[in-house]
């Protein structure tokens, strides 16, 4: 008889993230090949897990068409060499696709239906731009259910600046600059590279290469550079390319397990799922979505925001993260927040990003036995937020010695 069990994040890997353009490093790479490469890398890193014991594979994508369609979880599993007895499915919750894949598979593990599951996401925004091949129902506009501008994420970010005028452009610029600097520092310290799966790529000239690092980083960014950027979403606005996540291609994937499977295969979990929640907000200000979802997740866990020792917040836009921090009384430069930088620097391949947050948090947990709980959270298009609270299995209450 199935029994309730803890849900463990065993491991996670991702491809390097590339610029979404015809000159980006993945311009000639299929979307499904990106997730397959990540899945192969995950299974190779966890060779003690028999592939035929995987109960399900959930892979998310926002634009499920072309090489990003056809029930990605199933096709990716077959292409990655998993036994054909392993089923799979596709999930779509826009930016929170991979996060939803994790919580959906995690819930199945938690109630004892699954022992082991794979969850991840992929987005090739170069091949499948956001909103392409979408036909919104005319009722949205005719019945004034949603302002048409709510479909433009940059406009929703500008509206956060309108709603919270104390979240100035200068504060957003500084946050964006620090994200670039923190990602570069993490690379130089070797924090990021261990969880990247290299991807063979082909250039337009037929030359082959290997993608080993995130392509869009700009560590040389200064406040002066940011002050001079155009505001594409509104004349004389406050949101710029320097305070927004760039259009990105990439894939992420993770392995989840119940307690019995952890014991059976001698696994060493990197995190334990404590709680999760999703919330809806006005689509016109979708960036505040993680605020109510985090409040719900904290309530379900019986915790307060003060119990969270590390925050991995998706940087869709700097002002979106600042609105979250402002609500919870956290300083803009609090060292608990995105200590290794975030999406403004490395990119945001929509449905893949949730697992990137988890991979990064898990790596930080290993270095921070003084931190017991961490949060991964993100806003979601059309007015949603998603949050997952994790517990550190390395927690001792004592500070780690810095290397």
């Amino acid at each position: 008889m199935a029994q309730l069990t803890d849900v463990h994040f065993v491991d996670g890997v991702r491809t390097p993230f590339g610029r979404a353009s015809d000159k980006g490093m993945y311009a000639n790479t299929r979307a499904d090949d990106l997730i397959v490469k990540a899945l192969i890398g995950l299974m190779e890193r966890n060779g003690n897990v028999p592939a035929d014991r995987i109960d399900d594979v959930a892979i998310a994508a926002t634009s499920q068409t072309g090489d990003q369609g056809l029930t990605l979880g199933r096709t990716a599993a077959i292409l990655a060499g998993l036994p054909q007895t392993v089923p799979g499915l596709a999930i779509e919750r826009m930016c929170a696709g991979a996060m939803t894949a994790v919580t959906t598979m995690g819930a199945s593990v938690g109630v004892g239906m699954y022992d082991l599951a794979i969850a991840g996401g992929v987005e090739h925004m170069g091949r499948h731009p956001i909103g392409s091949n979408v036909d919104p129902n005319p009722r949205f506009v005719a019945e004034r259910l949603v302002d048409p501008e709510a479909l433009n994420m940059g406009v929703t970010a500008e509206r956060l600046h309108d709603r919270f005028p104390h979240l100035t452009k200068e504060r957003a610029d500084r946050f964006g600059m620090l994200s670039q600097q923190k990602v570069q520092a993490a690379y130089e310290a070797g924090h990021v590279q261990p969880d990247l799966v290299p991807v063979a790529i082909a250039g337009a000239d037929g030359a082959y290469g290997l993608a080993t690092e995130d392509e869009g980083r700009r560590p040389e960014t200064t406040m002066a550079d940011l002050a001079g950027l155009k505001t594409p979403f509104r004349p004389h606005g406050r949101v710029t390319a320097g305070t927004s996540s760039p259009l990105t291609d990439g894939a992420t994937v993770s392995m989840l397990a119940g307690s019995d499977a952890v014991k059976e295969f001698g696994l060493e979990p990197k995190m334990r799922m404590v709680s999760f929640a999703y919330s809806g907000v006005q689509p016109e200000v979708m960036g505040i979505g993680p605020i109510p979802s985090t409040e719900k997740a904290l309530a379900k866990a019986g915790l307060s925001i003060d119990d969270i020792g590390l925050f991995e917040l998706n940087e869709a836009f700097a002002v979106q993260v600042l609105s979250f921090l402002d609500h919870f009384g956290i300083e803009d430069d609090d060292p608990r927040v995105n200590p290794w930088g975030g999406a403004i620097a490395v990119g945001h391949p929509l449905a893949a990003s949730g697992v990137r947050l988890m991979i990064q948090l898990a790596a930080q947990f290993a270095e921070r036995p003084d931190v017991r709980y961490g949060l991964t959270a993100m806003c979601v298009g059309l007015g949603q937020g998603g949050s997952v609270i994790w517990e550190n299995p390395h927690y001792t209450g004592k500070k780690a010695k810095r290397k």
Side-chain angles (χ1 to χ4, degrees):
M1 180 179 294
Q3 296 181 338
L4 298 179
T5 181
D6 284 336
V7 179
H8 302 279
F9 183 97
V10 174
D11 196 12
V13 299
R14 67 179 179 91
T15 68
F17 290 171
R19 292 178 182 147
S21 76
D22 56 4
K23 296 181 180 178
M25 63 188 187
Y26 294 135
N28 298 303
T29 303
R30 290 176 58 97
D32 48 12
D33 284 338
L34 286 176
I35 189 61
V36 166
K37 186 65 177 178
L39 181 50
I40 290 172
L42 179 72
M43 295 305 296
E44 287 179 346
R45 269 200 357 181
N46 296 274
N48 53 333
V49 176
D52 61 358
R53 290 292 302 276
I54 301 297
D55 289 302
D56 213 345
V57 178
I59 302 300
T62 301
S63 300
Q64 295 191 12
T65 184
D67 58 338
Q68 215 164 260
L70 197 61
T71 314
L72 270 170
R74 176 60 171 167
T75 56
I78 293 173
L79 290 167
L82 271 62
Q84 293 191 5
T85 53
V86 177
L89 70 153
I91 281 182
E92 201 280 289
R93 200 200 293 264
M94 296 183 76
C95 305
M99 176 177 282
T100 303
V102 167
T103 55
T104 300
M105 293 295 95
S108 297
V109 170
V111 297
M113 295 298 103
Y114 292 171
D115 296 315
L116 292 157
I118 300 294
V122 62
E123 208 75 52
H124 199 306
M125 300 182 76
R127 284 174 174 255
H128 309 290
I130 185 171
S132 60
N133 298 318
V134 171
D135 180 20
N137 193 298
R139 288 184 53 217
F140 281 117
V141 176
E143 299 179 20
R144 298 184 180 181
L145 299 174
V146 175
D147 188 314
E149 289 190 333
L151 300 177
N152 185 316
M153 300 301 101
V155 172
T156 69
E158 286 283 7
R159 288 184 173 179
L160 288 186
H161 278 293
D162 295 340
R163 178 172 288 198
F164 307 112
H166 58 288
L167 302 180
T168 62
K169 181 180 184 297
E170 183 178 4
R171 287 175 67 177
D173 284 351
R174 186 169 184 272
F175 188 90
M177 179 187 69
L178 290 177
S179 180
Q180 298 284 357
Q181 293 176 354
K182 288 191 286 187
V183 166
Q184 184 63 23
Y187 260 96
E188 291 174 359
H191 293 317
V192 180
Q193 297 90 326
D195 296 319
L196 298 182
V197 176
V199 178
I201 54 176
D205 58 0
Y208 289 89
L210 194 65
T212 60
E213 294 187 354
D214 298 310
E215 186 178 26
R217 298 164 11 239
R218 297 181 182 275
E220 72 284 355
T221 299
T222 67
M223 289 292 285
D225 294 332
L226 295 172
L229 293 177
K230 296 179 180 180
T231 58
F233 306 111
R234 179 188 294 176
H236 310 294
R238 289 143 295 189
V239 179
T240 69
T243 56
S244 309
S245 56
L247 303 180
T248 313
D249 305 330
T252 63
V253 70
S254 64
M255 181 180 294
L256 306 171
S259 296
D260 287 346
V262 166
K263 293 178 182 178
E264 181 178 355
F265 302 115
L267 305 177
E268 296 183 1
K270 296 183 176 181
M271 302 191 292
R272 183 184 72 86
M273 186 183 292
V274 177
S275 69
F276 66 86
Y278 298 92
S279 291
V281 297
Q282 287 179 291
E284 293 80 3
V285 285
M286 65 97 189
I288 64 172
I291 294 172
S293 64
T294 295
E295 291 175 334
K296 287 173 66 175
L298 288 168
K300 291 177 183 296
L303 299 173
S304 75
I305 199 69
D306 295 331
D307 293 311
I308 305 301
L310 285 168
F311 295 82
E312 276 297 320
L313 308 176
N314 190 46
E315 299 170 356
F317 300 93
V319 68
Q320 175 263 315
V321 180
L322 292 177
S323 68
F324 178 98
L325 300 180
D326 187 65
H327 175 85
F328 287 108
I330 300 170
E331 296 294 327
D332 295 2
D333 57 355
D334 191 304
R336 297 174 297 168
V337 178
N338 296 3
W340 296 349
I344 289 174
V346 301
H348 173 27
L350 299 183
S353 286
V355 167
R356 181 194 66 79
L357 302 176
M358 297 168 194
I359 291 169
Q360 208 147 297
L361 179 62
Q364 292 161 17
F365 270 170
E367 295 195 346
R368 295 291 304 275
D370 58 309
V371 171
R372 185 171 183 181
Y373 297 109
L375 172 76
T376 54
M378 60 201 313
C379 62
V380 188
L382 285 182
Q384 298 184 78
S387 303
V388 188
I389 296 174
W390 302 91
E391 186 175 28
N392 185 359
H394 312 288
Y395 175 70
T396 63
K398 299 179 181 179
K399 285 191 174 293
K401 294 181 180 180
R402 294 297 180 182
K403 296 179 180 178

